[in-house]
Amino acid sequence: MEDQGQNDPLFPIAVLIDELKHDDVLLRLNAIHRLSTIALALGAERTRDELIPFLDESVEDEDEVLTALSEELGGFVEYVGGPEYGHVLLSPLENLAAIEEPLVREKAVESLNKICKELSQSQVEDHFIPLTVRLSKADWFTSKISATGLYNVPYSKATPPSQEGLRQQYGQLVHDETPMVRRQAANNLAKFVKEMSPQIVIEEMIPLFQHLAGDDQDSVRLLTVEILISIAEVIPKEQQTSHGTLLTALRSLFEDKSWRVRYMVADRFEKIAKAVDEETVTRDLVPAFVKLLKDTEAEVRTAIAGQIPGFCRLLDRETLLNEIMTSIEDLVSDTSQHVRAALGTQISGLAPILGKEETIAHLLPMFLQMLKDEFPDVRLHIISKLELVNKVIGIELLSQSLLPAIVQLAEDKQWRVRLAIIEYIPLLAGQLGQDFFDDKLSTLCMSWLGDTVFSIREAATKNLKKLTEVFGVGWASNAIIPKVIVMGKHPNYLYRMTTCFAISTLAPAIDLEVIEKSILPMMDKLVSDDIPNIRFNVAKSYTVLIDVLKHLPAHGTIFDLEKSGQTLQPSSAGQHLIQQQILPNLEKLQQDEDVDVRYFATTAAGSVGDAMATSP
C-alpha cells in the first residue's frame, strides 16, 4: 500500500500538505526547505498548476515558517519553467509582503525584486507593476511599507508612461498620512532616485525630498540625508547651485532641531561634501562642519570627529588651518570620552594633509595631551595610528617628542594599552636604530616578559623575534639571549614559563651556534624543573627546536632562508644536536610522573623520528 501511495502523482503535494498542517513548527519549516526537491519531483508544469496555488493559500503560519517561504520563493524561477513563467510566483509573495511581521515582508520584497530582474518587460508591465500599485494603494500600512521597496527594479525595465505612473504613485507614498510609510518611502527614495535622469530628479524628486525634509517626524527627516546625497550625485555639479531649494534643504538639515538628524548629517558629512560642488563646500559645508564640531550633543561630535580626515582632504590647507583646525584642537579636551576616543582614531590622518611643519606645530601637542588622557581607548587609538605621523615628520622627531609618553604607557594599568605599545616597538626600533633602542627601549621590552597578563607575555616574545629579524642574530646573541637565560633561572615560575615561550618564538630567527651554546644548555636545566607546567612546556619547545634544527644550515637562520625565498631542505647541521642533547632529555621526560609532561615529550620524540626520516 505504501508503494502505491508513493506512485500516486499527487503524492509529493499530499505529503507537503500533511507536513505544513503538522503541529510541529520544525516539521513545517523542514517542509518549506524541501520545496525545491518537491518541485523537481512534480516538474515545472505541476509546480505552476498545483504547488504554487497551494502555497498561495498557505500564508497563515508561524513567522519563522513564512520567512523561510518568502526566502525560498526568490530562487524558485527555475522550478516553474524559467523566467517566462516567473510571474506565477508573484501572487504568494504579494500575500507575504502584506504580512504584519517585518522580517517576512523584508524577505518577500527581496524575493520579488530578485524575480523581477529575470522578468521580461511585458511581464513587468503586465504583472509586476500592477502588484506594486496594489500594495501601494492597500488599506493597511504594512502593504504600503513593502511597496516602497518594489519601485527601483521594475522602473528600469518599464516603458516611459509606466515609469511616470510609478513616480506618481511613489509620490503618494511620500505624502502618506502614516509616519511608518513615509519613513520607509524616505528610506527607499535614495535608491529610486538613482534610476532617473537628472531632469526628472530636478523636476519631480527634489519636491518629494523637500516634503520629507520638512516632515514633523525626525525619524523621517534623518533619512533624507541619504536622499540628498543621491540627488546631488545624479545632478551634475555645475547645475546644483541653480537649484536653491536643494541648498536650502541642505542648510536646514545642518541646523535641524533634532540631534538624531544632525547626527546623520555628521555621520555622512564626507559623502555630502563629495556629492556637492566646491562652492557649496566652501560656502556652506565648512561653517557647518565647525558648528557640528561644537554641537551640544556628544553623539553628534563623535560622528563628526570620524569625518575629520575625509572632509579635510577635500579642502585647501589655508582653509583647514584658518577655519577648522582650532575647533578640532578643542576636541582634545572634550568632556565626552567617546568624542576624544573618536578623535584619537582619526587625528593622525591629518598629518599627510598638513605636512611636516604644521603637523609638528598643531598635531604633536595634541598627541602629547591625548597620550595622557585618563580614558585608555584614547591613548590606545593614538598609539595605534602613529605610523601615519611617522611617515610625515620622521621617526626621530616623533620619538623625541613621544618617547617619554610611550615609556609611561608601557607601564599603563590597562593591558590593552601595553599591548598596543608592544606591537608598535618593532617599527620604532627599525627606524630609530640599534644604539637608540638598546639605550632607551631594550630594558622595557624585557620587562614585558614578566607581565602578569598572558597576552602581554605572549606578545613580548613575538616582539623579541621581530626585533631579532630587525637587528640580526648577533644583536640577539648579545642583547636578548643572555636576558632570556637569566629568566630561565628566575625563582618565579611565570618567568621560567615565559622563557620556554621565548625560545619557541625566537628559534626560527636564531642560528645554530646560538642554539648550541646558549639555548640547549639552559633547556638541560629546565628539564628538571619542579613545576610540571614548566617541564611540559620544555617538551613543547623541544618540538619547535627539532623542527628548526632539521632544516637549519650551518650558517644563517630559518628566517634568512624564508626571506630569501629558498625552499627549506633537510639539513644534517642540526642532527647531531638533536641526537646528543635533545633526545636524551626527551627520553627522561617520557618517564615523568606527570601525564601531560609524558604526552608532550612523546609528541616531541615523534618529531625526532620525523626529522631522522627526512634527513639526507
Side-chain angles (χ1 to χ4, degrees), residues 386-396 398 424 427 431:
L386 280 180
E387 191 172 352
L388 286 170
V389 184
N390 167 42
K391 290 177 181 176
V392 175
I393 68 173
I395 195 71
E396 187 173 347
L398 181 64
Y424 186 66
L427 170 69
Q431 307 214 25

Side-chain angles (χ1 to χ4, degrees), residues 494-562:
L494 279 180
Y495 284 84
R496 303 198 301 279
M497 182 92 75
T498 304
T499 300
C500 297
F501 298 150
I503 289 167
S504 298
T505 306
L506 283 169
I510 51 181
D511 62 17
L512 189 69
E513 184 179 359
V514 172
I515 292 176
E516 181 179 9
K517 293 184 177 179
S518 301
I519 300 299
L520 292 180
M522 177 181 60
M523 298 287 281
D524 288 342
K525 296 175 182 176
L526 290 175
V527 164
S528 304
D529 198 279
D530 293 336
I531 307 294
N533 276 15
I534 302 293
R535 298 198 299 275
F536 81 63
N537 274 289
V538 167
K540 289 169 77 172
S541 295
Y542 273 143
T543 303
V544 176
L545 285 169
I546 289 165
D547 191 52
V548 168
L549 286 169
K550 69 184 180 184
H551 297 299
L552 196 62
H555 303 286
T557 69
I558 294 294
F559 172 72
D560 293 331
L561 293 176
E562 291 175 341

Side-chain angles (χ1 to χ4, degrees), residues 172 228 240 261 298 333 474 480 526 575:
Q172 297 298 315
L228 172 71
Q240 290 176 5
V261 177
S333 52
I480 298 294
L526 290 175
Q575 296 298 334

Side-chain angles (χ1 to χ4, degrees), residues 66-77 89-90 93-94 96-98 102-119 128 131 135 145-154 184 187-188 191:
L66 296 181
T67 302
L69 178 59
S70 299
E71 194 168 11
E72 199 76 24
L73 288 175
F76 231 66
V77 171
L89 295 167
L90 301 183
L93 284 168
E94 181 179 353
L96 289 163
L103 187 57
V104 177
R105 297 199 310 270
E106 183 184 318
K107 292 298 180 184
V109 169
E110 284 179 15
S111 291
L112 281 166
N113 282 324
K114 190 175 177 182
I115 291 167
C116 186
K117 289 176 183 177
E118 298 189 54
L119 300 181
F128 201 93
L131 174 153
L135 287 172
I145 287 175
S146 294
T148 62
L150 296 173
Y151 280 77
N152 312 342
V153 179
Q184 205 58 31
N187 193 37
N188 284 298
K191 303 171 194 170

